[in-house]
Amino acid sequence: MAKPAQGTKYRGSIHDFPDFDPSRDAEALYTAMKGFGSDKEAILELITSRSNRQRQEICQSYKSLYGKDLIADLKYELTGKFERLIVGLMRPLAYCDAKEIKDAISGIGTDEKCLIEILASRTNEQIHQLVAAYKDAYERDLEADIIGDTSGHFQKMLVVLLQGTREADDVVSEDLVQQDVQDLYEAGELKWGTDEAQFIYILGNRSKQHLRLVFDEYLKTTGKPIEASIRGELSGDFEKLMLAVVKCIRSTPEYFAERLFKAMKGLGTRDNTLIRIMVSRSELDMLDIREIFRTKYEKSLYSMIKNDTSGEYKRALLKLCGGDDDAAGQFFPEAAQVAYQMWELSAVARVELKGTVRPADNFNPDADAKALRKAMKGLGTDEDTIIDIITHRSNAQRQQIRQTFKSHFGRDLMADLKSEISGDLARLILGLMMPPAHYDAKQLKKAMEGAGTDEKALIEILATRTNAEIRAICEAYKEDYHKSLEDALSSDTSGHFKRILISLATGNREEGGEDRDQAREDAQVAAEILEIADTPSGDKTSLETRFMTILCTRSYQHLRRVFQEFVKMTNYDVEHTIKKEMSGDVRDVFVAIVQSVKNKPLFFADKLYKSMKGAGTDEKTLTRIMISRSEIDLLNIRREFIEKYDKSLHQAIEGDTSGDFLKALLAICGGED
């Protein structure tokens, strides 16, 4: 079993079994596999209750007692995923890693994700043991095999990592931190093309502690996290490897929590990944992984495994997990500290927002107006030309085209487009042709007209727009519908939900920084209204009004601090607590505000994913978000989408839409990630 460093707490989930007797265990396993069939429950229970060191002793005793190889017998008796898991547990970690890498580079194709995961996350000592184990098990040189199976910068970085020569964590130089920041900036953002060698050298050799300081300083100097620069400057497997290295430097347990989540979310389970991580981390940092998993994904690792696997395989994985964590939304103390630190990071991160649609170079509204007229004249319509022009111009440029079209032809471009195209494509193209505030005003009007109200559309727009955007929407609504937005909301909604929407529709959110003392008071109000504070300090109606005021009027920066203080004060996550303690539209609008404060691009990425998952597509939501975010943060949304769902927004759109609607959406999407 891996021993923790002196003075540190053991963070594995598997411990040495007390009163261990390798001969007795060897006999028990032999009995479990003797005769017809095998006692899988007995095998599972015994092997998952012993540390790796103890399992090696059992293997030795088994050979001494029966002259047989225990791993070979287990392979013969067991099958499928359960066999892979149990056999993985029986190998020393270095040999388990060696086998995974051998499988990853054998046969046709390479499992790059496996190579990245292992080589980006292991310590110097683990790398050296891996190289020796590979040599011992396969009589081959691991570096030579990696070179033979990979190429380019990806190969170079893997070779650097294989050396296991990263500096020790006490090697930190303040002068060198500044130099590394400058070198990385000049190698990427400031250079025509990218100097990949600098990224490889610095990220492959500097100590973790040093690199954390480099990342902090890089953010302060450039205004963007190092991850954003890597995504912008690198590509393919090399980009994925470098991002994995950065994640492991920031927090190896968080990297594995994310890998486990992605292995189980959506349709199908990536069992090889799930097995590899559960086996390799069970005696290293499984408790840390569990805490971060609960913090990031608001569910326990245990519950996700339970819902995603079955049979003996499931029972063995749950034993390795080591237990279920607290009720939904609550953190045990260590996890609360992790959550607090994550909020601390999010409070300082200034991510540059980027759209996918930008003003066209050499813009000529006259030529565009003529091309559109030609595309709609005569028999039939040239949809490709319409899509190409409108999706590759900024909204300001589209307004110039509308004006020029009317000046040249005495016709209304919007009316002509309406008569020539139809369905989902028409909604998308006509939406793109409207000024953003008028488009949002129309979406709000449609959400409130007729029988029933589309509360989700009201929430999505009013909970996410800036003050300036809200005020522009109010003006556009009044201009287009001769009625104030506030009056419309009052007529169509009721109760607390109406009060919240009207508060948001005033566009009076504070725009300053955080006030720590005020944040603690606000967190206390949140704790009291959500009924988890020990001593309520006011009547319920007054608290509800204060809570609404906090969420609807405080600045985003201040609210991040409130959520952070809430975790510190209660060990709960504010979003999860709202979901648990509230209901209906009030819950939904508060959750939307919290998610928007936490990470607005991720909020929209989730909405886009939900609009396309399962049977049928919610074209209205898909269209609305693609139009409204195309010039604001759609590039950021794309990055959050692939990060969370392990497939690109481009792929999701491609798999869920068709025809000209698909073409136009992909043009707005702006590329494949």
Side-chain angles (χ1 to χ4, degrees):
M1 181 170 72
K3 296 291 179 190
Q6 194 169 9
T8 63
K9 192 176 174 187
Y10 176 66
R11 302 299 291 158
S13 54
I14 299 293
H15 300 261
D16 279 334
F17 188 74
D19 304 320
F20 173 61
D21 183 340
S23 297
R24 186 175 61 213
D25 285 351
E27 287 175 26
L29 288 170
Y30 183 76
T31 303
M33 293 187 283
K34 207 167 62 172
F36 189 70
S38 54
D39 185 349
K40 295 183 180 67
E41 193 63 44
I43 294 169
L44 179 163
E45 187 62 37
L46 193 150
I47 289 175
T48 58
S49 300
R50 307 299 185 267
S51 68
N52 193 278
R53 178 185 63 77
Q54 290 175 331
R55 292 183 209 121
Q56 304 319 308
E57 290 186 50
I58 296 169
C59 281
Q60 286 294 330
S61 292
Y62 194 90
K63 187 161 270 184
S64 299
L65 287 169
Y66 306 109
K68 292 161 70 84
D69 182 69
L70 177 53
I71 289 181
D73 280 5
L74 287 166
K75 276 185 176 177
Y76 180 78
E77 291 292 333
L78 309 176
T79 57
K81 295 172 285 193
F82 181 54
E83 176 219 320
R84 188 179 178 95
L85 176 61
I86 294 297
V87 168
L89 287 167
M90 293 308 301
R91 293 190 175 103
L93 176 61
Y95 284 82
C96 194
D97 279 351
K99 174 74 165 63
E100 291 292 322
I101 285 186
K102 186 75 168 68
D103 289 348
I105 57 179
S106 296
I108 299 169
T110 304
D111 182 353
E112 289 86 3
K113 286 183 179 178
C114 172
L115 296 181
I116 290 168
E117 179 199 297
I118 292 174
L119 295 180
S121 66
R122 301 312 192 242
T123 64
N124 287 349
E125 185 184 356
Q126 289 166 342
I127 291 284
H128 297 152
Q129 290 169 351
L130 161 62
V131 171
Y134 192 91
K135 186 81 169 173
D136 181 49
Y138 306 111
E139 297 180 348
R140 296 178 65 87
D141 180 69
L142 178 53
E143 184 178 321
D145 282 0
I146 292 280
I147 289 171
D149 210 65
T150 58
S151 61
H153 298 299
F154 178 58
Q155 177 200 90
K156 288 173 192 167
M157 186 61 178
L158 290 176
V159 169
V160 166
L161 294 173
L162 267 176
Q163 305 315 300
T165 53
R166 187 176 295 287
E167 294 165 342
D169 267 355
D170 57 357
V171 180
V172 176
S173 159
E174 285 186 30
D175 292 340
L176 195 54
V177 166
Q178 294 295 339
Q179 186 60 53
D180 283 348
V181 168
Q182 194 59 34
D183 288 347
L184 286 171
Y185 191 44
E186 289 176 0
E189 300 286 338
L190 293 182
K191 190 177 175 69
W192 182 261
T194 307
D195 182 358
E196 290 86 353
Q198 281 286 21
F199 279 86
I200 290 170
Y201 177 72
I202 293 170
L203 293 180
N205 290 284
R206 299 284 192 248
S207 74
K208 284 191 169 188
Q209 185 55 36
H210 175 88
L211 284 170
R212 287 184 196 116
L213 295 174
V214 169
F215 299 161
D216 290 345
E217 201 56 40
Y218 190 91
L219 179 62
K220 287 179 198 166
T221 303
T222 68
K224 61 167 68 175
I226 188 70
E227 291 90 338
S229 289
I230 287 172
R231 287 192 182 100
E233 298 299 324
L234 312 180
S235 61
D237 293 322
F238 181 48
E239 176 197 341
K240 293 187 182 85
L241 173 58
M242 298 306 258
L243 287 172
V245 168
V246 170
K247 283 175 184 172
C248 288
I249 284 158
R250 288 196 188 278
S251 168
T252 303
E254 187 173 348
Y255 170 70
F256 282 114
E258 187 180 297
R259 292 280 294 153
L260 284 168
F261 180 76
K262 287 181 176 177
M264 291 182 280
K265 74 178 175 59
L267 288 173
T269 305
R270 295 170 180 81
D271 294 292
N272 287 358
T273 301
L274 179 56
I275 291 166
R276 184 170 59 242
I277 297 172
M278 295 303 290
V279 168
S280 66
R281 310 313 293 187
S282 60
E283 295 182 51
L284 296 174
D285 52 7
M286 185 57 69
L287 297 186
D288 295 319
I289 291 168
R290 273 170 46 186
E291 287 171 8
I292 291 171
F293 195 97
R294 143 70 53 225
T295 304
K296 282 193 75 159
Y297 304 112
E298 297 155 0
K299 64 177 81 177
S300 68
L301 175 59
Y302 188 98
S303 66
M304 197 160 184
I305 291 170
K306 196 172 177 181
N307 293 331
D308 213 63
T309 58
S310 60
E312 288 95 0
Y313 176 52
K314 172 173 83 173
R315 287 197 288 279
L317 286 170
L318 292 178
K319 288 273 287 181
L320 295 180
C321 183
D324 201 354
D325 300 323
D326 294 346
Q330 185 179 7
F331 310 119
F332 35 94
E334 295 96 331
Q337 288 309 307
V338 172
Y340 188 90
Q341 287 155 16
M342 285 167 68
W343 278 114
E344 192 71 50
L345 283 171
S346 75
V348 299
R350 291 177 296 141
V351 178
E352 185 184 357
L353 298 179
K354 284 187 179 177
T356 52
V357 175
R358 299 176 184 86
D361 295 330
N362 305 316
F363 172 58
N364 185 336
D366 191 63
D368 284 348
K370 286 175 181 171
L372 286 169
R373 176 72 179 134
K374 185 180 176 186
M376 294 185 283
K377 243 170 76 174
L379 204 60
T381 307
D382 181 358
E383 285 90 353
D384 284 346
T385 295
I386 294 170
I387 291 167
D388 185 55
I389 291 173
I390 291 174
T391 61
H392 291 97
R393 306 294 183 270
S394 68
N395 194 277
Q397 290 175 333
R398 293 182 207 123
Q399 302 319 310
Q400 286 183 254
I401 295 169
R402 279 180 74 173
Q403 189 60 55
T404 304
F405 195 90
K406 184 162 270 186
S407 299
H408 271 321
F409 307 111
R411 302 172 66 90
D412 179 34
L413 177 55
M414 294 285 278
D416 281 7
L417 286 167
K418 259 186 196 172
S419 70
E420 292 293 328
I421 54 178
S422 60
D424 294 327
L425 177 65
R427 274 190 290 275
L428 182 62
I429 294 296
L430 291 169
L432 287 168
M433 290 304 303
M434 295 179 75
H438 289 266
Y439 178 72
D440 276 347
K442 184 176 183 183
Q443 297 309 302
L444 290 168
K445 179 78 163 64
K446 287 169 86 75
M448 292 184 280
E449 66 188 9
T453 305
D454 183 352
E455 291 86 1
K456 287 182 180 177
L458 296 179
I459 291 168
E460 179 203 301
I461 295 169
L462 294 175
T464 62
R465 301 310 192 247
T466 64
N467 284 344
E469 288 167 342
I470 291 282
R471 288 166 194 159
I473 291 167
C474 288
E475 286 178 26
Y477 199 95
K478 185 85 172 172
E479 182 185 332
D480 293 346
Y481 307 112
H482 313 294
K483 183 179 185 178
S484 76
L485 177 57
E486 183 179 330
D487 287 347
L489 290 167
S490 293
S491 305
D492 207 66
T493 58
S494 61
H496 287 308
F497 183 54
K498 175 175 84 173
R499 289 174 60 208
I500 296 162
L501 292 183
I502 289 173
S503 178
L504 292 171
T506 61
N508 283 326
R509 186 176 292 285
E510 295 162 1
E511 295 183 343
E514 64 184 56
D515 177 332
R516 290 204 177 210
D517 292 336
Q518 183 65 58
R520 280 188 282 274
E521 285 181 34
D522 290 346
Q524 181 65 32
V525 170
E528 289 173 14
I529 193 66
L530 297 171
E531 297 183 344
I532 55 176
D534 295 331
T535 52
S537 61
D539 69 275
K540 182 107 176 179
T541 307
S542 166
L543 281 170
E544 284 172 351
T545 302
R546 285 175 68 193
F547 186 58
M548 184 190 83
T549 302
I550 289 163
L551 286 184
C552 295
T553 67
R554 301 284 195 257
S555 72
Y556 271 28
Q557 190 175 337
H558 179 83
L559 283 173
R560 287 191 190 99
R561 177 62 62 183
V562 173
F563 300 159
Q564 186 182 6
E565 293 298 332
F566 185 89
V567 170
K568 191 178 181 183
M569 189 180 290
T570 67
N571 277 10
Y572 281 80
D573 172 69
V574 70
E575 180 185 338
H576 230 93
T577 310
I578 290 169
K579 286 177 180 173
K580 184 183 172 191
E581 297 297 332
M582 296 183 163
S583 60
D585 297 327
V586 171
R587 176 198 60 201
D588 293 344
V589 69
F590 280 157
V591 166
I593 293 168
V594 172
Q595 290 176 339
S596 187
V597 169
K598 282 182 173 182
N599 184 335
K600 197 180 284 186
L602 179 58
F603 169 81
F604 283 114
D606 285 340
K607 290 279 179 199
L608 285 170
Y609 178 76
K610 285 171 185 167
S611 76
M612 292 182 279
K613 77 166 190 171
T617 305
D618 178 358
E619 287 89 357
K620 286 182 183 175
T621 300
L622 176 58
T623 300
R624 185 172 60 243
I625 295 173
M626 294 297 287
I627 289 171
S628 64
R629 310 316 294 182
S630 60
E631 292 183 56
I632 299 171
D633 55 3
L634 190 52
L635 191 61
N636 306 78
I637 292 166
R638 267 171 46 185
R639 287 167 179 166
E640 294 292 349
F641 195 99
I642 195 167
E643 189 77 14
K644 183 163 180 182
Y645 298 108
D646 229 18
K647 71 172 172 182
S648 67
L649 177 58
H650 189 283
Q651 287 172 313
I653 291 168
E654 219 169 21
D656 214 64
T657 59
S658 60
D660 291 323
F661 183 49
L662 164 67
K663 283 182 203 168
L665 285 172
L666 290 183
I668 298 168
C669 182
E672 170 69 291
D673 294 310

